[in-house]
Structure formats: C-alpha cells, structure tokens
Amino acid sequence: MAKILFSLALALVLAGPALAADVSKLQLSGDITLGQAQKVMDGALAFARKQGVPMNIAIVDAGGNLKEFCRMDGAFLGSIDISAKKAKTARFFNMSSAQLGAVSGPGQELYGIETTNGGLVVFGGGELLKNKDGVIIGAIGVSGGSVAEDTNVAKAGVEALNK
C-alpha cells in the first residue's frame, strides 16, 4: 500500500509542471479570465472610491463560482454575502438582480424565488458580464451602500470590462 501511495505521489509531482505548462487547456471557453476579472474589479473600485462608500465587490465566473472578491476598508461585514449572492443571482438567471426583483415581488409570478438556490438577492447591484461577442462570462455583485450606489458601482465594473 505504501508503495502504491508513493508511486501516485511521485506521478503527481512529476506531472505537476506539465499540467501547469499550458493553463489555457484548463480554462473553459466563454469563462471570465483573471485579467478580465481584475479589470472589472479595478473599474468598480475606482467608482466606489469616487462615491466615497466602502463596498464589498464579488465577481463570479460563468458557472457562478467566485473568481475575485474585495472588501474595502470599512465595508459592512453583512454585505460580503450579499455581494456574492447578487453576482450569483445575476448569473443564475442571466439578468440583473434588479430585473429579477421586478418580477418576483408580492403578487408576481416568481414571488418567493429569492428563497431558492441557497438564497438569492433580488434588488439592484448584480450585473452580468459579457465578452465582446455578447457571451455571458460571469457577473459582478456589489453591496455596501444604497441600492442605487451598489448598482452604479456594478455598472462601472461592467463598463471597465467593455473598454
């Protein structure tokens, strides 16, 4: 048994450099890259600083998995989860969190949808991220200010990607 484990460990060590040599084979097409996520984050942070409101900013990939996150100094602790859920909400339903909110209020067909998928956030601050071909590659979620402030920061991130 020890011999098998040693052989397996040795194979992984030797294969490691070969796997790392071509990271592009590990990247799914249509998924946000780290460079793109950083560009989105830089744009969102710049706008948040301009507004003077500390924010939590989450960026998810095309599968809704966290790609990048920043909690500005002084941002609410409770907004960490909200920012990530806004991004996931946008990505899971391919629309902004505000758009989903508009169709999920009392008396609406999707009333209660925010209780699904481990919890969603159905007010502004979650926006889709698309590449130059219009393919959804991820989403951004922002929380820490008013809904309008969160939405403005998220849209600034989107705009940064499109520049």
Side-chain angles (χ1 to χ4, degrees), residues 14 17 25 36 39 76 78 80 87 99 111 129 131 138 150 163:
L14 294 174
K25 291 183 180 177
Q36 289 170 316
K39 193 173 181 181
F76 295 123
I80 294 170
Q99 288 173 308
Y111 180 65
L129 298 169
N131 68 14
D150 294 353
K163 284 185 182 177

Side-chain angles (χ1 to χ4, degrees), residues 140-161:
I140 181 172
V142 179
S143 184
S146 67
V147 172
E149 290 167 333
D150 294 353
T151 300
N152 290 338
V153 171
K155 287 184 176 183
V158 171
E159 288 175 23
L161 176 64

Side-chain angles (χ1 to χ4, degrees), residues 113-158:
I113 196 168
E114 70 278 358
T115 63
T116 68
N117 294 284
L120 303 172
V121 177
V122 291
F123 48 88
E127 298 288 333
L128 291 174
L129 298 169
K130 298 178 182 181
N131 68 14
K132 60 181 171 52
D133 299 320
V135 175
I136 298 169
I137 58 173
I140 181 172
V142 179
S143 184
S146 67
V147 172
E149 290 167 333
D150 294 353
T151 300
N152 290 338
V153 171
K155 287 184 176 183
V158 171

Side-chain angles (χ1 to χ4, degrees), residues 23-81:
V23 175
S24 67
K25 291 183 180 177
L26 301 175
Q27 176 76 24
L28 297 173
S29 63
D31 203 0
I32 192 167
T33 66
L34 181 58
Q36 289 170 316
Q38 289 171 338
K39 193 173 181 181
V40 172
M41 183 64 74
D42 290 345
L45 281 170
F47 199 89
R49 287 184 188 110
K50 181 178 160 187
Q51 280 189 153
V53 178
M55 299 282 186
N56 289 285
I57 303 166
I59 299 169
V60 298
D61 64 15
N65 304 295
L66 188 63
K67 184 75 172 194
E68 188 154 337
F69 176 81
C70 177
R71 178 177 169 259
M72 296 174 70
D73 294 341
F76 295 123
L77 293 173
S79 290
I80 294 170
D81 185 55

